[in-house]
Amino acid sequence: MDFTAQLAQIKPKLGCVDDNLALIEERIGQARTAGADLVVFPELAMTGYFLKDLVPEVARRLDSPEIARLVELSRGISIAVGFVEETSDYRFFNSALYLEDGAIKHLHRKVYLPTYGLFDEQRYLARGERFRAFDCKFGRMGILICEDMWHLSSSYILAMDGAATLLCLSSSPGRGVEGETLGSATAWQKLTATTALFLNCRVLYCNRVGYEDGINFWGGSEYIAPSGESVVRAGLLEEDSVNALVEEGALRRERIFSPMLRDENLCVTMQELRRIERERRL
């Protein structure tokens, strides 16, 4: 079915859960007023990104009042949002929730935690262990959190699991310069376009903005059609919200015109991966 998704390119405050929750609630209201069916927020929208030792302080369990409030708000609009999750055994995950009709429809825990350069996630967070597609009122979807998307197997697994739409929640810092734009922006635009094109899927990418510890986040949230075309893109380095009309017809046309997903041979892929695994054990 056709649906309208709003990409809420916000500027969270580091460690300020109450302030960020108020901002998220405000943007949810704006998205509903704008006629959106789904609103997508960035990675760690409830907490900010460079948390370090703040992780236990800002983490919330799934039964917390803050999550319950967002679940209630999803009765009027579907919501995808990032936060730090605390489990009953006191582990902490960089997680994303998909909320719909007053319920938690899906939880994804970030699998690939960058721990290089300016990133230090694995020092403070536990790793997720799976990628799963899920059904919602807009069809079958999958969620990736930032670095997850840079591993080709992540998107591939979700596509093989039937996801026609990939939601990528991101906190990508601005790095490098290419002509008149940021190198990180150019790299992400290539990645999302290539993923959509080769997997015949839609990509809704939501990145944050603002500064933390002198590091900026560049924004540039966008909707990529199954053809690899950028349909709508938010501004760089500023708070923004953009609506994307996600049309079922565009997915149908692309899968007829370029049926790469149809022709993908999962059995061959599994066979060769098992062979590689066996050989690595020798």
Side-chain angles (χ1 to χ4, degrees):
M1 62 176 293
D2 295 351
F3 65 96
T4 298
Q6 182 168 115
L7 304 175
Q9 185 169 289
I10 63 172
K11 180 171 63 177
K13 296 179 182 178
L14 185 63
C16 300
V17 174
D18 290 343
D19 289 349
N20 293 331
L21 189 62
L23 174 60
I24 289 167
E25 185 166 347
E26 178 185 346
R27 288 300 192 96
I28 290 171
Q30 291 174 2
R32 290 184 63 180
T33 300
D37 305 297
L38 163 67
V39 57
V40 183
F41 290 94
E43 174 185 17
L44 298 177
M46 283 181 60
T47 63
Y49 181 75
F50 287 110
L51 292 162
K52 299 183 180 180
D53 293 330
L54 288 174
V55 163
E57 181 178 328
V58 302
R60 295 294 186 270
R61 297 195 180 196
L62 293 180
D63 61 356
S64 70
E66 293 87 353
I67 299 301
R69 176 58 181 158
L70 292 175
V71 170
E72 183 63 27
L73 290 171
S74 75
R75 295 186 186 278
I77 185 172
S78 300
I79 303 165
V81 64
F83 73 113
V84 178
E85 176 199 1
E86 180 177 353
T87 61
S88 59
D89 58 352
Y90 308 112
R91 290 187 296 165
F92 304 97
F93 293 90
N94 182 340
S95 297
L97 285 171
Y98 188 94
L99 312 172
E100 190 170 88
D101 294 335
I104 296 175
K105 182 70 69 171
H106 184 69
L107 168 70
H108 174 64
R109 293 169 174 163
K110 190 173 182 178
V111 173
Y112 293 106
L113 303 179
T115 308
Y116 58 85
L118 54 82
F119 304 107
D120 205 14
E121 288 189 37
Q122 199 166 322
R123 181 178 176 185
Y124 303 97
L125 297 161
R127 290 180 295 180
E129 297 178 343
R130 67 181 194 178
F131 293 102
R132 299 285 171 83
F134 63 96
D135 294 314
C136 66
K137 63 174 63 174
F138 311 117
R140 197 155 172 82
M141 291 188 174
I143 293 179
L144 300 167
I145 302 177
C146 210
E147 186 84 1
D148 287 340
M149 197 164 193
W150 284 96
H151 294 259
L152 298 176
S153 56
S154 309
S155 299
Y156 180 81
I157 290 168
L158 291 175
M160 291 301 100
D161 201 21
T165 304
L166 300 181
L167 308 181
C168 183
L169 285 61
S170 179
S171 288
S172 172
R175 292 180 292 169
V177 177
E178 287 195 8
E180 297 182 356
T181 190
L182 291 167
S184 50
T186 300
W188 268 104
Q189 289 161 11
K190 290 177 180 177
L191 174 63
T192 54
T194 301
T195 300
L197 179 64
F198 281 96
L199 294 178
N200 294 145
C201 68
R202 288 99 51 123
V203 175
L204 288 164
Y205 172 72
C206 189
N207 189 30
R208 62 160 291 182
V209 291
Y211 282 83
E212 290 180 7
D213 292 336
I215 297 171
N216 80 306
F217 299 87
W218 55 273
S221 305
E222 62 181 335
Y223 165 50
I224 307 294
S227 62
E229 175 192 3
S230 176
V231 178
V232 62
R233 181 179 294 158
L236 295 180
L237 306 174
E238 61 183 7
E239 289 188 283
D240 200 359
S241 289
V242 291
N243 273 16
L245 176 59
V246 181
E247 298 178 295
E248 191 69 22
L251 180 66
R252 182 177 186 271
R253 287 192 299 273
E254 193 60 30
R255 291 193 173 184
I256 292 171
F257 175 74
S258 182
M260 286 176 286
L261 189 64
R262 181 200 68 188
D263 296 341
E264 183 68 24
N265 193 325
L266 186 57
C267 291
V268 170
T269 302
M270 296 299 297
Q271 169 189 294
E272 294 305 305
L273 288 176
R274 283 191 291 266
R275 175 187 61 79
I276 292 167
E277 182 184 28
R278 288 195 302 270
E279 292 177 353
R280 285 185 173 182
R281 290 177 178 177
L282 297 178

